[in-house]
């Protein structure tokens, strides 16, 4: 395996808001994860916890590189899922968006929450992978929030630098065995389409929706992917966690799949990872009602 903590990879994240750790997993691990992912239901989206995928979410393979990005104390709190066989809905427009929740749009402060993606097939010359705008994690996302909210933001912040056009997009080369990491303020989109004659060219998702499928690269295999969100201790993490815990299915799955088990709590702690759970059902219900 390659070194997943080299300085070049870490510097890339700090500069552009995303990075890719190459060859983190071996072929047998990928095959096993694909099998379990498909076993949770085709064409489905399922929340996952520490028990799933052989303890993947608290494994050193993931925790060690993330510690270099987030610091010594990392928090995992249930915003984790897997997908198998899901495709971009026909007729449903895609757009750039960010995954930050309850954000204050203060881009002068770090946003220490990131998402990992483990794509269980190649997306180097194949469609279906990630599309993102490198460096956009310090920029207001007009695609998501709209021009009216952007104007209000400019008036409030007086940040003329935000008037620059957004960075260009790329379809990063991702292969099975890689670990992809991006900041939750990153402008991104899923199900990237690649042209057969120019697979490395990237277009806006709204343009891709009108490109005939006959000139697009297919996906390599049935699309299977695992996502999870990790953060460092901060007010942003508290806000994000409170927002996500308003989803009862997420909380129930997190507690049911090992987050409350002493064994997993202890193992995670020994690796510098906190498994955060609502203190009680009453606390969760109170949060949901707010």
């Amino acid at each position: 395996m390659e070194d997943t903590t080299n300085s070049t990879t870490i510097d890339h994240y700090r500069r552009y808001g995303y990075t890719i750790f190459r060859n983190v997993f071996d072929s047998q691990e990928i095959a096993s994860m694909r099998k379990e992912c498909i076993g949770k239901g085709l064409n489905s989206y399922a929340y996952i916890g520490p028990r799933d995928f052989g303890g993947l979410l608290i494994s050193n393979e993931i925790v060690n590189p993330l510690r270099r990005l987030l610091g010594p104390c990392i928090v995992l709190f249930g915003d984790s899922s897997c997908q198998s066989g899901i495709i971009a809905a026909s007729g449903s427009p895609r757009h750039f968006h960010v995954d930050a929740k309850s954000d204050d749009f203060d881009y002068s402060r770090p946003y220490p929450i990131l998402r990992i993606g483990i794509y269980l097939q190649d997306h180097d010359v194949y469609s279906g992978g990630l599309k993102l705008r490198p460096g956009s994690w310090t920029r207001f996302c007009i695609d998501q929030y709209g021009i009216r909210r952007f104007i209000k933001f400019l008036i409030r912040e007086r940040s003329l630098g935000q008037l620059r056009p957004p960075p260009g997009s790329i379809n990063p080369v991702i292969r099975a065995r890689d670990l992809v990491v991006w900041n939750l303020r990153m402008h991104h989109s899923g199900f990237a389409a690649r042209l057969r004659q120019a697979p490395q060219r990237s277009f806006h998702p709204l343009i891709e929706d009108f490109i005939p499928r006959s000139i697009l690269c297919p996906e390599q295999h049935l699309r299977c992917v695992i996502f999870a969100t990790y953060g460092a201790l901060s007010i942003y993490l508290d806000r994000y966690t409170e927002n996500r815990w308003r989803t009862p299915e997420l909380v129930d799955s997190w507690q049911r799949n090992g987050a409350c088990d002493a064994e997993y709590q202890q193992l995670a702690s020994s690796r510098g990872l906190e498994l955060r759970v609502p203190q009680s059902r009453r606390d969760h219900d109170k949060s949901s009602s707010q």
Side-chain angles (χ1 to χ4, degrees):
M1 293 185 184
E2 294 184 2
D3 177 13
T4 59
T5 58
N6 67 79
S7 59
T8 301
T9 306
I10 305 303
D11 290 343
H12 194 277
Y13 177 84
R14 292 171 178 164
R15 180 174 182 180
Y16 296 108
Y18 85 98
T19 196
I20 302 174
F21 297 99
R22 301 291 183 186
N23 298 322
V24 173
F25 309 100
D26 61 37
S27 299
Q28 289 184 336
E29 288 175 308
I30 293 299
S32 176
M33 284 188 273
R34 279 191 64 87
K35 182 178 180 180
E36 184 170 347
C37 189
I38 293 172
K40 291 183 179 297
L42 285 175
N43 304 315
S44 68
Y45 173 100
Y47 291 119
I48 60 175
R51 283 199 193 114
D52 295 300
F53 298 97
L56 173 69
L57 299 183
I58 62 174
S59 67
N60 283 321
E61 291 170 306
I62 291 178
V63 175
N64 284 344
L66 295 191
R67 186 179 293 112
R68 295 290 301 275
L69 301 177
L70 292 173
C73 186
I74 306 173
V75 180
L76 181 64
F77 48 90
D79 189 20
S80 314
S81 64
C82 67
Q83 303 176 7
S84 61
I86 295 178
I87 61 175
S90 177
S92 176
R94 295 180 297 117
H95 59 89
F96 282 107
H97 63 281
V98 301
D99 292 328
K101 308 290 185 185
S102 305
D103 199 358
D104 61 3
F105 308 105
D106 182 355
Y107 298 107
S108 67
R109 301 173 60 187
Y111 191 85
I113 311 176
L114 54 77
R115 181 151 294 157
I116 67 164
I118 305 171
Y119 291 82
L120 304 176
Q121 59 285 314
D122 292 342
H123 294 291
D124 44 7
V125 294
Y126 298 99
S127 295
L130 178 68
K131 180 185 297 293
L132 50 77
R133 288 170 169 163
S136 62
W137 63 330
T138 60
R139 303 291 301 277
F140 188 94
C141 186
I142 300 177
D143 303 67
Q144 177 167 338
Y145 298 115
I147 189 66
R148 291 180 62 183
R149 196 166 179 181
F150 178 57
I151 293 174
K152 291 181 179 179
F153 166 77
L154 286 178
I155 294 173
R156 186 190 73 192
E157 300 295 331
R158 300 179 183 179
S159 179
L160 298 180
Q162 293 286 337
L163 291 173
R164 293 174 300 166
S169 68
I170 64 169
N171 300 330
V173 172
I174 303 170
R175 302 183 181 91
R177 301 175 61 180
D178 293 344
L179 175 68
V180 191
V181 179
W182 64 94
N183 189 276
L184 261 63
R185 279 178 169 170
M186 171 70 68
H187 303 193
H188 68 286
S189 176
F191 306 99
R194 293 180 182 269
L195 295 176
R196 290 181 184 271
Q197 299 301 318
Q200 302 309 323
R201 289 199 62 184
S202 177
F203 300 90
H204 195 284
L206 294 178
I207 295 177
E208 290 181 348
D209 289 337
F210 291 95
I211 299 177
R213 295 186 63 84
S214 60
I215 64 173
L216 294 178
C217 299
E219 294 187 17
Q220 183 188 31
H221 302 300
L222 180 76
R223 182 180 181 272
C224 295
V225 61
I226 298 169
F227 296 118
T229 309
Y230 297 77
L233 297 174
S234 65
I235 186 62
Y236 289 123
L237 179 65
D238 293 339
R239 292 172 182 169
Y240 188 93
T241 304
E242 290 172 3
N243 181 288
R244 296 303 290 131
W245 279 350
R246 293 170 188 162
T247 304
E249 295 83 3
L250 182 153
V251 174
D252 291 341
S253 174
W254 185 236
Q255 294 176 330
R256 186 174 60 251
N257 290 318
C260 298
D261 293 3
E263 174 189 358
Y264 289 104
Q265 286 278 345
Q266 185 175 14
L267 181 58
S269 179
S270 70
R271 295 171 176 171
L273 178 66
E274 174 192 342
L275 293 182
R276 184 176 293 186
V277 295
Q279 293 181 357
S280 68
R281 169 55 63 181
R282 181 178 64 182
D283 292 340
H284 170 240
D285 291 341
K286 181 179 178 181
S287 175
S288 300
S289 64
Q290 293 176 348

